[in-house]
Amino acid sequence: MVVPGDFYPRPGFSCRCRYLYVCLLAFVATQLLIFGAIFHRKCSYISWLWRGCAVRKSQCPMISPHLIGGFEVETHVPAWQTIIDNYPMLQNGGRYQPPDCEARHRVALIIPFRDRDIHLKIFLNNIHAFLMRQQLDYGIFVIDLEEGIPFNRALLLNVGFLEANKVHDYQCYIFHDVDLLPENDHNTYSCPEQPRHMSVAIDKMNYRLPYMTIFGGVSAMTREQMLTVNGYPNKFFGWGGEDDEMYNRIKFHNMTVTRYTGDVGRYKMLAHRREQGNPNRFALIKSEKKHYHQDGLSSLIYDVTKREKRRLYTYIRVAVDRKQLATS
């Protein structure tokens, strides 16, 4: 039987509700404070409760205080272990992040490679110190082709771009020949609003720009710029021509090639045997004007045959079907 009084709270019930309500509000407020602390510390809830969490690092200064300007590069050939011992702060794969601040630039160095171990040793021994002084969040990727496939610098740069994208959220891509060593660390390895040609003044060319449309040696582009121009062409097997074609792609999309002044963009070129130029490069450059949207990142097909995160760099070797690329 239902008694009319049962529809109303009994004495003491209202007090208990208010007590529980206040406790609930206190719990919610506490959780908000905790999550606010977690947000600023950038760590998980469990990590914050049990281990504590370091306060978020401040952003690195616009100009690194570690820069020294012009310097003499080291051209002796060190042993691999010596280079590794010189850079104990590196992560596997040639990754580095400044320990005391948050880097302003996330940069991938893409190195097209073929049978130049001596150059690679000298390059790595110099470039890691250079990049660390610039307080960059960077990784180095050395991209190689299987034996028997003619060298193709542009294709390897495309592969490096795609593979680096898979491992980190890079903003900037430096396409870098292994025989060029920067001589001034004010030559910042970052990407401006327009593509940048960086190796402006090379010692073997009397520190002069050989011609105004050059975009080879060392150059910098953002992810968006690379995607806009569809990357480099894939058909330039042999030496030469691919950088001129990239310059044409940049101009076609109404972008401008920027450069540092010659006293900043200085490089030393390591001695090497001059390779025979691709005899078809001029015809390829002419034909690519009509097919840039078909030949590039969008048409690249390759197989990774070897991938190793070595201490000083990430090594990637690929195989491609040359005939398939020729018809794409």
Side-chain angles (χ1 to χ4, degrees):
M1 178 176 179
V2 178
V3 179
D6 289 343
F7 286 99
Y8 299 95
R10 293 183 174 87
F13 182 79
S14 178
C15 293
R16 287 196 298 271
C17 285
R18 283 197 294 269
Y19 175 75
L20 292 174
Y21 182 69
V22 170
C23 290
L24 179 62
L25 285 178
F27 175 78
V28 171
T30 303
Q31 294 301 303
L32 289 174
L33 289 173
I34 290 175
F35 280 106
I38 293 169
F39 177 79
H40 288 292
R41 290 180 164 101
K42 279 191 168 180
C43 66
S44 69
Y45 181 75
I46 298 300
S47 173
W48 189 84
L49 287 176
W50 292 101
R51 297 192 300 271
C53 182
V55 177
R56 178 181 177 181
K57 293 187 293 186
S58 60
Q59 197 170 41
C60 296
M62 292 288 291
I63 300 176
S64 170
H66 307 302
L67 301 182
I68 60 177
F71 60 91
E72 291 289 332
V73 299
E74 296 285 346
T75 58
H76 71 284
V77 186
W80 282 118
Q81 190 58 49
T82 299
I83 309 174
I84 292 171
D85 293 341
N86 287 341
Y87 301 105
M89 66 292 292
L90 283 174
Q91 303 169 28
N92 285 339
R95 283 293 315 281
Y96 175 81
Q97 294 169 308
D100 53 354
C101 60
E102 184 178 345
R104 290 180 177 268
H105 306 285
R106 300 186 300 275
V107 182
L109 261 71
I110 312 299
I111 317 298
F113 184 75
R114 166 146 291 179
D115 297 333
R116 289 192 178 179
D117 285 346
I118 290 177
H119 285 176
L120 185 59
K121 288 180 180 179
I122 299 172
F123 176 80
L124 293 170
N125 194 42
N126 282 272
I127 203 68
H128 278 299
F130 174 87
L131 298 173
M132 288 177 184
R133 291 200 300 272
Q134 294 186 357
Q135 295 183 310
L136 301 174
D137 175 352
Y138 72 85
I140 296 181
F141 299 83
V142 176
I143 317 298
D144 199 358
L145 269 171
E146 282 289 345
E147 294 183 8
I149 303 174
F151 184 72
N152 187 326
R153 179 177 181 270
L155 182 148
L156 293 177
L157 296 179
N158 281 344
V159 171
F161 171 79
L162 294 174
E163 291 297 315
N165 264 321
K166 297 176 182 178
V167 299
H168 191 49
D169 181 26
Y170 291 111
Q171 306 160 303
C172 179
Y173 299 81
I174 308 293
F175 304 105
H176 209 304
D177 286 352
V178 73
D179 58 359
L180 291 177
L181 306 177
E183 298 181 311
N184 189 320
D185 58 18
H186 290 158
N187 182 0
T188 306
Y189 275 36
S190 62
C191 287
E193 293 183 359
Q194 297 291 330
R196 175 179 285 161
H197 177 238
M198 307 188 75
S199 50
V200 176
I202 299 175
D203 63 339
K204 295 294 178 64
M205 300 176 184
N206 297 316
Y207 292 109
R208 294 181 180 178
L209 194 69
Y211 56 95
M212 290 303 299
T213 59
I214 189 171
F215 197 69
V218 185
S219 54
M221 297 180 71
T222 65
R223 180 191 295 115
E224 292 74 20
Q225 290 162 1
M226 277 289 285
L227 294 175
T228 296
V229 303
N230 197 23
Y232 283 84
N234 297 316
K235 299 179 181 179
F236 283 74
F237 288 91
W239 296 83
E242 78 289 331
D243 53 329
D244 296 309
E245 168 55 22
M246 175 54 88
Y247 182 89
N248 291 338
R249 294 183 180 210
I250 290 170
K251 299 300 290 185
F252 180 86
H253 288 89
N254 298 315
M255 290 186 279
T256 303
V257 172
T258 61
R259 293 186 175 95
Y260 285 118
T261 57
D263 60 326
V264 173
R266 290 170 64 92
Y267 287 78
K268 182 176 185 61
M269 179 179 284
L270 299 175
H272 62 278
R273 178 173 58 88
R274 185 177 179 83
E275 302 291 343
Q276 185 176 359
N278 180 356
N280 299 320
R281 63 187 183 277
F282 298 111
L284 283 170
I285 292 172
K286 186 176 180 180
S287 66
E288 283 289 326
K289 292 181 179 179
K290 301 177 182 178
H291 304 293
Y292 74 88
H293 57 287
Q294 298 174 351
D295 179 22
L297 293 172
S298 62
S299 63
L300 179 56
I301 301 173
Y302 63 93
D303 294 316
V304 175
T305 59
K306 190 172 186 178
R307 187 197 312 268
E308 292 182 351
K309 281 192 173 183
R310 300 175 182 176
R311 189 67 175 176
L312 299 168
Y313 61 97
T314 296
Y315 176 81
I316 299 173
R317 185 192 299 163
V318 299
V320 297
D321 186 334
R322 186 178 178 184
K323 293 180 179 179
Q324 185 181 43
L325 289 174
T327 57
S328 61

